[in-house]
Amino acid sequence: MRRLLRRAHHARALLHAARTVVVAAAMTCSMITSLGAQAAPVTVIRADRAIIGDGTQIASPLVFVQGERITAVGTAAQLRIPAGAKVIDLSGYTLMPGFMDAHTHLASIDNDGGDLAVLKETPAHGAIYATINAKKTLDAGFTTVREAGTTDYVDVVVRDAINRGLIPGPRIHASGPALGSTGGHADVNGWSPFLDIPGTGAIVDGVDAIRKQVRLNAKYGADQIKIVATGGILSVGDAVGAAQFDADELKAAVSEATRLGRKVMAHAHAGDGLKMAVLAGVASIEHGSLVDDEAIALMKAHGTYLVPTLIILEEIVTDGARKGVPPNSVAKATAIAAERRIRLRTAYQRGVKFALGTDATSDIHGRNGEEFKYMVDILGATPMESITIGTMNAATLLGVDKELGSVTTGKLADLVAVKGNPLTDIALLAHVQFVMKGGAVVKAP
Ligand SMILES: [Zn+2]
């Protein structure tokens, strides 16, 4: 007993020592920052136009960057380039805030495992795929992503590795495993009951299990909570509109997450499950394929975002068979395709708030920018609105609008550029040639 106590005391002493080191390191860092503020060299970016992210634009802008932040935004008439400044000349280009994808699955990749991948692969596979996809995503101009459910906390680990500078990638808002019900969209169905196959999310039933899983996800580093409120397309044995949790379960998820300072994103295609999620207070509905008039009114009243994931659902219909998507999923996506376009357009035109999300899996990583054109074509958004949906709107949904989402003095210098004018050709946003993250150039023409 005494030895145990001594060990506990020793552990406490170590912990105290570690905390002291952390405090000392923090002090050193802040001192360096304050000393460096004057000394940091100025980089000036020149372009044909800057689309700010809030629906406005500036012709022939100069954007000053010092350290990791934007320190001035204006025109040549308003700003004088300081002597010795490094100039990045993007004449002919349009400068924009770093793009944001509010729905990614970085650990997902094309594989030959198909249905059997769950039996063949390990968390290490997911970590390697996510590392590869994080770089593709950043190179495509997406400097921030929100992960929408990842097994084994791979998104947390990859986020931390990126933040430590070990690997390149976007700023990641991690979810950890999505919460799903037994037999639902996050479960793996159609197998023998005598096999113990783990779900693609955390399978939790009932209010207590849900509260516990929200706490676990927060404990292990999730930035938000993902919950699966209705059936899905890429799953067997669940209709897209079928509710998969009851109202109490959804409320428990939101109240627990809120208490822990986290927002909830809910996978929901249609029906009562979607409405119950909105009423429970989730921050966003993911997919929203068959959002009906009542749900649209509820979402407007509650300020709920819709993340429409257009590219994945369109490509399952047009290209799913070739890409090896199971026939059951292609049939599900095809059956609702025409109606889905009408319902999402209606939601947008009636004023539901939208944020860009692709549901990037398999070969969509790195093609996230194609979503902008789908939003113009399907939602009827103008090119300028489409860009706002993929920058400032997404930043607001993610709760980072004070730091990111627009080309604004004082914000973090996450900037991208494309050659030409995306306001006249939105498809250009699929071809980003310049990427800066936190003041560091990641990609240049
Ligand atoms: Zn998803």
Side-chain angles (χ1 to χ4, degrees):
M1 185 63 191
R2 191 174 299 160
R3 199 190 301 162
L4 265 180
L5 279 175
R6 206 166 41 230
R7 206 178 288 164
H9 177 76
H10 183 63
R12 260 202 306 276
L14 274 178
L15 200 63
H16 179 73
R19 282 205 189 113
T20 311
V21 171
V22 170
V23 170
M27 278 173 64
T28 317
C29 287
S30 66
M31 275 152 55
I32 289 170
T33 316
S34 59
L35 284 175
Q38 273 95 26
V42 179
T43 298
V44 177
I45 305 170
R46 195 201 321 261
D48 273 16
R49 69 187 62 71
I51 294 172
I52 303 301
D54 61 357
T56 64
Q57 59 175 317
I58 304 177
S60 305
L62 296 177
V63 175
F64 289 17
V65 175
Q66 243 176 319
E68 60 177 9
R69 293 197 179 263
I70 298 167
T71 51
V73 180
T75 60
Q78 297 163 329
L79 298 171
R80 210 161 44 97
I81 298 178
K86 179 187 172 201
V87 176
I88 298 176
D89 187 0
L90 294 174
S91 297
Y93 286 76
T94 300
L95 194 66
M96 289 160 284
F99 299 148
M100 296 194 180
D101 189 332
H103 193 127
T104 60
H105 297 278
L106 291 174
S108 154
I109 206 167
D110 270 339
N111 61 61
D112 60 4
D115 227 12
L116 296 175
V118 68
L119 300 178
K120 289 179 175 174
E121 299 199 332
T122 67
H125 288 83
I128 290 175
Y129 300 157
T131 303
I132 295 166
N133 292 331
K135 177 164 177 13
K136 283 187 188 173
T137 306
L138 180 61
D139 284 346
F142 284 77
T143 50
T144 301
V145 301
R146 184 177 64 159
E147 277 284 281
T150 311
T151 49
D152 311 308
Y153 297 95
V154 164
D155 53 350
V156 170
V157 175
V158 172
R159 174 198 68 196
D160 293 348
I162 291 168
N163 290 347
R164 287 173 63 193
L166 299 178
I167 54 171
R171 304 175 194 276
I172 292 179
H173 290 243
S175 279
L179 278 63
S181 57
T182 295
H185 176 60
D187 210 347
V188 174
N189 304 317
W191 294 83
S192 160
F194 301 96
L195 291 173
D196 186 15
I197 301 176
T200 59
I203 304 307
V204 284
D205 299 298
V207 165
D208 290 345
I210 286 172
R211 286 193 185 279
K212 173 91 181 204
Q213 190 62 43
V214 170
R215 290 173 188 178
L216 284 172
N217 281 12
K219 169 180 172 172
Y220 293 122
D223 298 297
Q224 71 277 330
I225 300 300
K226 163 87 182 284
I227 192 159
V228 177
T230 75
I233 288 172
L234 292 176
S235 50
V236 176
D238 56 340
V240 288
Q244 298 195 331
F245 283 114
D246 67 26
D248 287 340
E249 290 174 309
L250 292 168
K251 280 185 202 150
V254 174
S255 76
E256 196 61 28
T258 306
R259 209 178 55 73
L260 296 170
R262 284 152 173 90
K263 296 187 184 188
V264 177
M265 56 192 297
H267 163 109
H269 282 285
D272 289 345
L274 192 161
K275 287 169 202 163
M276 287 191 294
V278 173
L279 288 169
V282 303
S284 62
I285 293 294
E286 310 298 305
H287 317 304
S289 302
L290 300 179
V291 61
D292 62 25
D293 288 351
E294 189 188 352
I296 288 171
L298 282 175
M299 290 180 76
K300 285 185 68 176
H302 285 78
T304 317
Y305 276 83
L306 204 159
V307 178
T309 65
L310 301 171
I311 183 171
I312 189 158
L313 296 168
E314 290 295 316
E315 288 198 354
I316 289 172
V317 174
T318 56
D319 212 19
R322 186 190 63 81
K323 288 205 251 178
V325 176
N328 165 67
S329 299
V330 176
K332 270 182 168 179
T334 306
I336 64 167
E339 180 70 5
R340 183 176 58 77
R341 291 182 199 117
I342 293 168
R343 294 316 309 170
L344 289 173
R345 187 184 184 95
T346 303
Y348 183 69
Q349 300 296 339
R350 288 196 190 156
V352 172
K353 294 189 283 187
F354 273 62
L356 184 151
T358 59
D359 209 356
T361 44
S362 66
D363 70 336
I364 294 174
H365 302 292
R367 297 197 292 121
N368 315 58
E370 293 179 28
E371 183 77 9
F372 286 104
K373 185 173 186 319
Y374 281 111
M375 293 196 292
V376 169
D377 292 346
I378 294 175
L379 304 180
T382 65
M384 182 65 100
E385 289 169 352
S386 184
I387 293 167
T388 305
I389 294 170
T391 54
M392 203 54 204
N393 282 19
T396 307
L397 169 59
L398 270 58
V400 293
D401 48 304
K402 298 263 188 307
E403 289 282 77
L404 294 163
S406 64
V407 186
T408 304
T409 302
K411 286 195 177 182
L412 290 164
D414 284 12
L415 299 165
V416 301
V418 297
K419 202 176 176 87
N421 184 0
L423 298 178
T424 53
D425 182 5
I426 193 72
L428 293 175
L429 298 184
H431 307 283
V432 168
Q433 285 108 338
F434 174 84
V435 181
M436 172 182 272
K437 182 188 161 201
V441 175
V442 172
K443 182 179 179 181

